[in-house]
Amino acid sequence: MEMDRVQCVASVSKEAKTIPADFIRSVNEQPGITTFHGPVPEVPVVDMANKNRDQIIAEIVKASEEWGIFQAVNHGIPPEAIQQLQRVGREFFELPQEEKEKVAMVPGQLEGYGTKMTSKQEGPKNWVDFLFNNIWPPSQINYDFWPKNPPDYRNANEEYVKYMIPLVDQLLEYLSLGLGLDGNVLKAASGGDDLRYLLKINYYPPCPCPDLALGVPAHTDMSAITLLVPNEVQGLQVFKDDHWINAKYIPNAMIIHIGDQIEILSNGKYKSVLHRSTVKKDETRMSWPVFCEPPADTVIGPLPQFVSDNNPAKFKAKKYKDYQYCKLNKIPQ
């Protein structure tokens, strides 16, 4: 089934200098109206190479409590690995349409190339196409959904994930220590070495009316933690102190989102970040989030250390797959 990819809609829209009505957001969502342009605080930046480990932990804790997001620099993933990841992703989206459709998503599976299907009832469409691939652990990888073209797509992704694993472990350790727990607690609670890494490549084509549309509307990630690299085209916005503010682009930084599962495990001490993605008139924005998620049957609930008579559980304990089902179908948790 061939469906309207946003990339195709965009090339038609460019000529028409307008966008289809089903992409236009309501006034309370339009970025042209709702983006805050006053003096804004910057998304915190954490230098992972700081010799003072306690300071790194303190900065991560502060960012995770107040923002739910920070930009990690000197994180140990070589710039070349990031550049190769980005190059093969960009080359995939620049292929002819029929080539991309070879790895199209199939119903019932969250992998492959796609565009979010939205019915009229669900509201406006998102100005984005994407590619989902499970990239770790090996047992979860299905190469049927990995592009064969560009030929080095697989190699670039395998190289990237190799560097990413120790960084994820380090971040989860620091987040654990920052809660006064042993360093291994959050990772173990999120699935340990079975933690799943799901890569999503977002492709936001140029949009003639960027003030009216959104790439991805406001949401929090359902992951434990998300590690994202964007291209140089700004577009990420974070909701902070009742304002939508732009996250500054820092070359080679890794943007870290606290996801819902870490918020739940910490019983709300760490915040899952509410964020959205805007689009540009003449530039293509891309981003590469990796969602680190618990295995489907892992039960996630507030850790007993954070639940007491004075501080009751703010979240229900449930299997990750049930959480996912509710979230994807917009059913209250």
Side-chain angles (χ1 to χ4, degrees), residues 25-101:
R25 296 274 153 188
S26 64
V27 276
N28 61 357
E29 271 196 308
Q30 288 177 16
I33 298 171
T34 56
T35 300
F36 185 64
H37 295 291
V40 291
E42 296 284 353
V43 171
V45 177
V46 177
D47 182 354
M48 300 296 287
N50 187 331
K51 293 284 182 279
N52 181 342
R53 193 174 86 142
D54 291 341
Q55 191 186 342
I56 302 179
I57 294 171
E59 288 175 4
I60 287 177
V61 168
K62 190 174 185 335
S64 302
E65 290 178 351
E66 296 176 9
W67 287 79
I69 186 173
F70 56 95
Q71 302 215 43
V73 295
N74 300 320
H75 44 65
I77 300 184
E80 302 72 61
I82 295 174
Q83 283 148 18
Q84 296 297 340
L85 173 86
Q86 294 187 316
R87 178 182 58 80
V88 296
R90 190 174 61 244
E91 287 176 2
F92 170 76
F93 277 95
E94 288 167 354
L95 291 170
Q97 200 52 38
E98 60 275 14
E99 187 64 31
K100 293 193 287 265
E101 297 293 346

Side-chain angles (χ1 to χ4, degrees), residues 13 75 95 119 124 134 143 200 203 277-278 310 316 324:
S13 302
H75 44 65
L95 291 170
S119 59
N134 287 313
Y143 290 114
K200 183 186 187 194
Y203 185 90
S277 184
T278 60
N310 305 341
K316 291 185 197 138
Q324 213 173 13

Side-chain angles (χ1 to χ4, degrees), residues 18 28 32 58 64 70-71 74-75 86 109 115 118-119 146 161 181 195-196 213 227 260 262 288 294 298 307 310 327:
T18 162
N28 61 357
S64 302
F70 56 95
Q71 302 215 43
N74 300 320
H75 44 65
Q86 294 187 316
Q109 277 200 276
T115 304
T118 37
S119 59
W146 288 40
V161 79
L181 305 168
L195 193 67
R196 313 251 156 111
L227 286 77
D260 295 345
I262 293 282
W288 287 256
T298 307
V307 180
N310 305 341
K327 180 122 174 171

Side-chain angles (χ1 to χ4, degrees), residues 104-274:
M105 296 177 90
V106 297
Q109 277 200 276
L110 189 62
E111 273 202 272
Y113 169 69
T115 304
K116 190 170 162 60
M117 302 275 297
T118 37
S119 59
K120 286 277 184 282
Q121 296 78 36
E122 286 181 83
K125 293 181 177 173
N126 299 348
W127 195 266
V128 64
D129 295 323
F130 46 74
L131 174 65
F132 275 111
N133 286 138
N134 287 313
I135 58 173
W136 195 259
S139 62
Q140 296 305 305
I141 293 174
N142 182 348
Y143 290 114
D144 293 348
F145 290 106
W146 288 40
K148 304 280 176 288
N149 215 343
D152 47 354
Y153 181 86
R154 176 169 167 175
N155 188 46
N157 278 279
E158 289 177 345
E159 194 66 9
Y160 183 68
V161 79
K162 189 174 84 185
Y163 289 110
M164 181 169 260
I165 293 166
L167 177 60
V168 171
D169 286 352
Q170 186 179 46
L171 289 165
L172 289 172
E173 180 186 0
Y174 288 172
L175 285 162
S176 262
L177 293 168
L179 290 169
L181 305 168
D182 285 346
N184 63 348
V185 173
L186 284 181
K187 182 180 173 182
S190 308
D193 289 331
D194 292 324
L195 193 67
R196 313 251 156 111
Y197 290 48
L198 174 66
L199 169 71
K200 183 186 187 194
I201 307 178
N202 288 304
Y203 185 90
Y204 307 96
C207 176
C209 309
D211 285 348
L212 303 179
L214 285 172
V216 180
H219 66 287
T220 59
D221 293 350
M222 59 183 148
S223 59
I225 191 174
T226 303
L227 286 77
L228 177 151
V229 288
N231 71 350
E232 70 293 340
V233 179
Q234 201 284 323
L236 176 65
Q237 293 191 336
V238 178
F239 196 65
K240 174 86 165 77
D241 302 330
D242 288 328
H243 291 301
W244 283 108
I245 60 177
N246 291 314
K248 195 173 75 191
Y249 169 67
I250 301 175
N252 292 313
M254 189 68 54
I255 301 175
I256 314 297
H257 300 174
I258 300 294
D260 295 345
Q261 306 313 305
I262 293 282
E263 179 176 59
I264 292 167
L265 288 166
S266 72
N267 202 24
K269 194 164 156 58
Y270 291 150
K271 299 283 174 284
S272 186
V273 63
L274 187 65

